[in-house]
PDB file of all heavy atoms in Angstrom:
ATOM      1  N   SER A1264      60.164 164.903  99.138  1.00 82.00           N
ATOM      2  CA  SER A1264      59.809 165.605 100.367  1.00 82.00           C
ATOM      3  C   SER A1264      60.572 166.899 100.618  1.00 82.00           C
ATOM      4  O   SER A1264      60.230 167.710 101.480  1.00 82.00           O
ATOM      5  CB  SER A1264      59.958 164.703 101.608  1.00 82.00           C
ATOM      6  OG  SER A1264      61.308 164.280 101.693  1.00 82.00           O
ATOM      7  N   SER A1265      61.656 167.053  99.845  1.00 58.00           N
ATOM      8  CA  SER A1265      62.373 168.337  99.934  1.00 58.00           C
ATOM      9  C   SER A1265      62.240 169.096  98.606  1.00 58.00           C
ATOM     10  O   SER A1265      62.503 168.428  97.596  1.00 58.00           O
ATOM     11  CB  SER A1265      63.854 168.067 100.236  1.00 58.00           C
ATOM     12  OG  SER A1265      64.588 169.279 100.254  1.00 58.00           O
ATOM     13  N   PRO A1266      61.873 170.320  98.626  1.00 51.00           N
ATOM     14  CA  PRO A1266      61.818 171.271  99.738  1.00 51.00           C
ATOM     15  C   PRO A1266      60.439 171.424 100.342  1.00 51.00           C
ATOM     16  O   PRO A1266      60.247 172.281 101.165  1.00 51.00           O
ATOM     17  CB  PRO A1266      62.214 172.595  99.073  1.00 51.00           C
ATOM     18  CG  PRO A1266      61.639 172.498  97.729  1.00 51.00           C
ATOM     19  CD  PRO A1266      61.796 171.011  97.317  1.00 51.00           C
ATOM     20  N   ALA A1267      59.498 170.583  99.921  1.00 45.00           N
ATOM     21  CA  ALA A1267      58.058 170.774 100.429  1.00 45.00           C
ATOM     22  C   ALA A1267      57.658 169.484 101.131  1.00 45.00           C
ATOM     23  O   ALA A1267      58.121 168.414 100.876  1.00 45.00           O
ATOM     24  CB  ALA A1267      57.138 171.039  99.281  1.00 45.00           C
ATOM     25  N   VAL A1268      56.765 169.664 102.100  1.00 40.00           N
ATOM     26  CA  VAL A1268      56.173 168.549 102.769  1.00 40.00           C
ATOM     27  C   VAL A1268      55.055 168.021 101.880  1.00 40.00           C
ATOM     28  O   VAL A1268      54.237 168.727 101.371  1.00 40.00           O
ATOM     29  CB  VAL A1268      55.564 168.946 104.109  1.00 40.00           C
ATOM     30  CG1 VAL A1268      54.822 167.782 104.769  1.00 40.00           C
ATOM     31  CG2 VAL A1268      56.654 169.468 105.024  1.00 40.00           C
ATOM     32  N   VAL A1269      54.972 166.727 101.608  1.00 44.00           N
ATOM     33  CA  VAL A1269      54.030 166.117 100.700  1.00 44.00           C
ATOM     34  C   VAL A1269      53.177 165.133 101.384  1.00 44.00           C
ATOM     35  O   VAL A1269      53.496 164.619 102.445  1.00 44.00           O
ATOM     36  CB  VAL A1269      54.777 165.466  99.497  1.00 44.00           C
ATOM     37  CG1 VAL A1269      55.645 166.459  98.765  1.00 44.00           C
ATOM     38  CG2 VAL A1269      55.714 164.298 100.018  1.00 44.00           C
ATOM     39  N   SER A1270      52.054 164.819 100.776  1.00 41.00           N
ATOM     40  CA  SER A1270      51.153 163.790 101.271  1.00 41.00           C
ATOM     41  C   SER A1270      50.550 163.099 100.090  1.00 41.00           C
ATOM     42  O   SER A1270      50.429 163.620  98.972  1.00 41.00           O
ATOM     43  CB  SER A1270      50.016 164.437 102.124  1.00 41.00           C
ATOM     44  OG  SER A1270      49.261 165.301 101.310  1.00 41.00           O
ATOM     45  N   ALA A1271      50.179 161.859 100.278  1.00 42.00           N
ATOM     46  CA  ALA A1271      49.603 161.034  99.191  1.00 42.00           C
ATOM     47  C   ALA A1271      48.176 161.478  98.941  1.00 42.00           C
ATOM     48  O   ALA A1271      47.431 161.755  99.867  1.00 42.00           O
ATOM     49  CB  ALA A1271      49.593 159.549  99.551  1.00 42.00           C
ATOM     50  N   ALA A1272      47.860 161.706  97.634  1.00 43.00           N
ATOM     51  CA  ALA A1272      46.530 162.088  97.286  1.00 43.00           C
ATOM     52  C   ALA A1272      45.632 160.908  97.327  1.00 43.00           C
ATOM     53  O   ALA A1272      45.988 159.795  97.072  1.00 43.00           O
ATOM     54  CB  ALA A1272      46.515 162.723  95.892  1.00 43.00           C
ATOM     55  N   THR A1273      44.357 161.152  97.666  1.00 41.00           N
ATOM     56  CA  THR A1273      43.350 160.095  97.666  1.00 41.00           C
ATOM     57  C   THR A1273      42.611 160.105  96.382  1.00 41.00           C
ATOM     58  O   THR A1273      41.916 161.041  96.013  1.00 41.00           O
ATOM     59  CB  THR A1273      42.306 160.287  98.853  1.00 41.00           C
ATOM     60  OG1 THR A1273      43.074 160.331 100.065  1.00 41.00           O
ATOM     61  CG2 THR A1273      41.348 159.183  98.872  1.00 41.00           C
ATOM     62  N   PRO A1274      42.734 159.017  95.571  1.00 45.00           N
ATOM     63  CA  PRO A1274      42.148 159.051  94.239  1.00 45.00           C
ATOM     64  C   PRO A1274      40.587 158.890  94.340  1.00 45.00           C
ATOM     65  O   PRO A1274      40.086 158.322  95.214  1.00 45.00           O
ATOM     66  CB  PRO A1274      42.728 157.787  93.587  1.00 45.00           C
ATOM     67  CG  PRO A1274      43.036 156.876  94.674  1.00 45.00           C
ATOM     68  CD  PRO A1274      43.455 157.779  95.835  1.00 45.00           C
ATOM     69  N   THR A1275      39.953 159.573  93.420  1.00 43.00           N
ATOM     70  CA  THR A1275      38.454 159.449  93.268  1.00 43.00           C
ATOM     71  C   THR A1275      38.176 158.709  91.989  1.00 43.00           C
ATOM     72  O   THR A1275      38.778 158.961  90.964  1.00 43.00           O
ATOM     73  CB  THR A1275      37.827 160.881  93.216  1.00 43.00           C
ATOM     74  OG1 THR A1275      38.255 161.565  94.421  1.00 43.00           O
ATOM     75  CG2 THR A1275      36.316 160.778  93.201  1.00 43.00           C
ATOM     76  N   ALA A1276      37.251 157.756  92.057  1.00 41.00           N
ATOM     77  CA  ALA A1276      36.935 156.962  90.913  1.00 41.00           C
ATOM     78  C   ALA A1276      36.593 157.870  89.676  1.00 41.00           C
ATOM     79  O   ALA A1276      35.808 158.832  89.858  1.00 41.00           O
ATOM     80  CB  ALA A1276      35.800 156.033  91.177  1.00 41.00           C
TER      81      ALA A1276
END
Side-chain angles (χ1 to χ4, degrees):
S1264 60
S1265 177
V1268 177
V1269 300
S1270 63
T1273 302
T1275 304

